Amino acid sequence: MNTISPAASNHAVAIQGLNKWYGSYHALRDIDLNVAQGETVVVCGPSGSGKSTLIRCINGLEHHHSGTILANGIRVGQDARSMREVRKNTGMVFQHFNLFPHMTVLQNCMLALVRVRRQSRADAEQVARTFLARVRMDEHAHKYPSQLSGGQQQRVAIARSLCIRPSVMLFDEPTSALDPEMIKEVLDVMKSLSNDGMTMICVTHEMGFAREVADRVVFMDAGAIVEENTPAAFFTAPRHERSRQFLAQLLH
C-alpha cells in the first residue's frame, strides 16, 4: 500500500516499527512516531542517539531496514518513483549549508525549480525572490555564498528548501555550525515558519526554541524514543530518569 489509512490522513509523517543498522550497530530501535499536519516537533537527545539518522530516513537519505515510513501518505523507500514524490514535498535543511559556491544566492534557489520542476527561468526567479524575501535575504540575491555570514547562508538554505513549496520541513541541527550571534536569526525564521503552520521536524539542542515553539518534544537515547511530551511537561516534569539526566546536563 502506498497511502496511509483514512484514520491517519492527518499525519504528515507516520513511522511504525522503524529499525536501522550500521553493520552490527543498531542505530534506530523500533521507532513509532506520528507527526500531524501543521505540527512542530523537536527531536532532542545526546550525540549518537539516532536523531539525525531518524530524519534522514524520512526523506530516504538513509535506508531503513525494517518498519514503515509514510510521508504525506507515500511510502518512503518503496521505489524510485515514490522517492521522487517524497522529496518533491519534503524540504531538508542541514547542519552545513550545502550551497553551491559557484552560484549566486538567487541561482542556488532557482536550480531545483528549473532542473527538477521544469519551470521557466522567469517563473523560477519570481518564486526564488519570494522566498528569499520570506527569510529576509532578498537584498543579497546576487551575492555568492562566500560573501555571506554563516547565519545568512543558512537562511538561504532554508529559502532554497521553501522554493519547492514542501509540505514538511526537516531540520538537522541547523544552528550547530553557527556562531552564537548568528543563531537567533535562523531560529527567528524557523519560528516564523512554525507560526505560519508549516509542518516541521527539528533536530536541535536549542532548548529555548523547543520551549517556545514546539508542539511536542521527542527525546531519544541509544536509538530509541525514550519520552514524548509537551514542552511544558518535558522541561518541568520529565517522566524518565534518562530525560532528567539529559536536561540537568544541558540546562545547568
Side-chain angles (χ1 to χ4, degrees):
M1 291 292 292
N2 251 16
T3 57
I4 54 178
S5 66
S9 61
N10 66 321
H11 291 151
V13 176
I15 301 172
Q16 184 173 6
L18 184 68
N19 284 275
K20 164 77 178 175
W21 283 266
Y22 294 104
S24 61
Y25 177 65
H26 200 172
L28 294 176
R29 301 170 180 267
D30 298 318
I31 299 292
D32 294 328
L33 179 66
N34 293 325
V35 179
Q37 299 284 353
E39 188 177 18
T40 296
V41 172
V42 165
V43 182
C44 63
S47 296
S49 59
K51 310 180 300 293
S52 293
T53 301
L54 173 61
I55 65 166
R56 289 171 68 89
C57 284
I58 292 172
N59 70 348
L61 289 175
E62 293 281 359
H63 169 71
H64 62 279
H65 294 102
S66 66
T68 58
I69 306 172
L70 299 171
N72 297 300
I74 302 170
R75 189 182 298 272
V76 174
Q78 180 165 282
D79 52 46
R81 181 178 178 182
S82 66
M83 284 314 307
R84 284 194 296 270
E85 289 301 310
V86 168
R87 289 176 178 150
K88 279 169 60 176
N89 293 290
T90 307
M92 182 93 177
V93 177
F94 300 89
Q95 178 177 349
H96 299 288
F97 324 120
N98 297 332
L99 299 174
F100 291 107
H102 62 291
M103 293 183 174
T104 65
V105 164
L106 185 62
Q107 290 168 338
N108 267 279
C109 290
M110 290 172 57
L111 184 63
L113 297 173
V114 173
R115 295 282 183 87
V116 179
R117 295 291 177 89
R118 304 297 182 187
Q119 293 188 8
S120 70
R121 294 191 67 82
D123 288 345
E125 180 173 344
Q126 183 177 2
V127 171
R129 288 188 180 277
T130 295
F131 287 106
L132 284 170
R134 178 72 176 76
V135 301
R136 305 188 305 279
M137 287 298 296
D138 45 321
E139 65 185 52
H140 301 284
H142 293 294
K143 291 183 179 178
Y144 289 88
S146 62
Q147 297 174 288
L148 305 175
S149 71
Q152 288 173 325
Q153 289 187 62
Q154 193 61 294
R155 281 190 279 156
V156 172
I158 293 172
R160 179 180 58 183
S161 290
L162 291 174
C163 282
I164 65 170
R165 293 185 172 90
S167 54
V168 178
M169 284 287 286
L170 307 173
F171 293 88
D172 187 5
E173 301 197 27
T175 61
S176 62
L178 300 179
D179 292 334
E181 64 269 21
M182 297 177 185
I183 291 174
K184 183 179 183 300
E185 63 189 66
V186 174
L187 292 179
D188 283 347
V189 170
M190 294 169 64
K191 290 175 187 177
S192 176
L193 293 175
S194 178
N195 290 338
D196 287 348
M198 172 66 74
T199 305
M200 297 166 53
I201 306 175
C202 312
V203 171
T204 183
H205 291 294
E206 298 293 336
M207 294 297 97
F209 173 84
R211 283 179 184 268
E212 181 181 350
V213 180
D215 297 299
R216 187 161 34 122
V217 176
V218 173
F219 174 69
M220 294 184 66
D221 188 40
I225 292 177
V226 175
E227 181 166 348
E228 292 182 60
N229 220 325
T230 64
F234 180 74
F235 287 108
T236 60
R239 292 190 296 257
H240 293 271
E241 177 59 27
R242 187 65 187 92
S243 307
R244 291 191 285 271
Q245 292 172 355
F246 174 77
L247 288 172
Q249 291 176 345
L250 202 63
L251 301 177
H252 296 290

